């Protein structure tokens, strides 16, 4: 059962990476064709950095929205009709601690739709943010290398 889940997670991540590549290249191509090519080289560098920070911020906001969207998850895996307190459904691996609080680990499991959505959308936008960052710092490195070859290595600690 675990092998199936891990196999599907790997397949899902791979598809997410390919989708991110295609979306980023399409968006970058459209922006380059209609806007960026017309700008000065310095403006292109600033736009690349802005584009990188935009995707990072978009990723953070999207994950926050998805996580907050369903604050009280109604999802309960493997429920029984009679829970530990009579009328509540029992959650798989449910245990009460001494204070009577429920173990909420099941709500954060890999089967929870909120977690699945966060992983899927987060993975897609994280890769797009990474591609935008690589693209931006490549332009910075080329610009700095044009002035001084050794200065091109200065982008390494700046980008990291």
């Amino acid at each position: 059962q675990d092998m199936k889940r891990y196999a599907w997670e790997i397949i899902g991540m791979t598809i997410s990476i390919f989708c991110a590549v295609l979306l980023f290249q399409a968006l970058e191509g459209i922006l380059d064709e209609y806007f960026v090519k017309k700008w000065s080289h310095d403006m292109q560098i600033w736009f690349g950095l802005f584009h990188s920070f935009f995707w990072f911020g978009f990723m953070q906001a999207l994950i926050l929205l998805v996580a907050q969207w369903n604050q009280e998850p109604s999802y309960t895996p493997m429920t029984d009709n009679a829970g530990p307190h009579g009328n509540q459904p029992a959650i798989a691996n449910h245990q009460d601690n001494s204070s009577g609080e429920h173990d909420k680990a099941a709500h954060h499991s890999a089967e929870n739709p909120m977690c699945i959505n966060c992983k899927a959308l987060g993975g897609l936008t994280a890769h797009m943010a990474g591609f935008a960052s690589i693209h931006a710092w490549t332009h910075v490195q080329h610009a700095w290398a044009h002035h001084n070859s050794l200065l091109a290595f200065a982008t390494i600690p700046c980008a990291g």
Side-chain angles (χ1 to χ4, degrees):
Q1 196 64 294
D2 284 342
M3 291 301 288
K4 279 185 183 179
R5 185 171 54 97
Y6 290 132
W8 280 111
E9 283 182 15
I10 298 285
I11 291 169
M13 282 187 246
T14 305
I15 291 170
S16 175
I17 292 169
F18 282 123
C19 289
V21 168
L22 292 174
L23 284 171
F24 179 76
Q25 286 182 342
L27 184 63
E28 191 69 26
I30 290 169
L31 291 173
D32 277 349
E33 186 66 31
Y34 292 105
F35 300 107
V36 179
K37 282 185 179 179
K38 299 173 184 176
W39 297 339
S40 69
H41 190 65
D42 289 341
M43 189 67 179
Q44 289 177 12
I45 290 172
W46 283 110
F47 175 75
L49 293 171
F50 169 77
H51 194 213
S52 172
F53 289 122
F54 166 79
W55 279 112
F56 182 75
F58 182 76
M59 172 191 63
Q60 297 293 324
L62 185 66
I63 292 172
L64 178 67
L65 274 172
V66 170
Q68 295 297 318
W69 191 342
N70 196 5
Q71 193 69 319
E72 292 292 325
S74 60
Y75 174 77
T76 53
M78 300 178 67
T79 59
D80 293 336
N81 290 335
H85 302 289
N87 59 0
Q88 292 179 333
I91 299 174
N93 297 327
H94 173 81
Q95 296 177 359
D96 285 340
N97 60 17
S98 60
S99 64
E101 294 180 14
H102 298 297
D103 180 19
K104 296 183 181 182
H107 288 294
H108 301 290
S109 71
E111 297 173 357
N112 187 332
M114 181 188 65
C115 290
I116 292 170
N117 290 338
C118 283
K119 284 181 183 180
L121 294 172
L124 180 72
T125 54
H127 281 94
M128 292 183 74
F131 298 147
S133 181
I134 290 169
H135 189 76
W137 286 104
T138 301
H139 281 286
V140 171
Q141 189 175 35
H142 283 235
W144 288 0
H146 181 69
H147 297 292
N148 184 350
S149 309
L150 294 175
L151 194 56
F153 291 106
T155 57
I156 296 170
C158 293

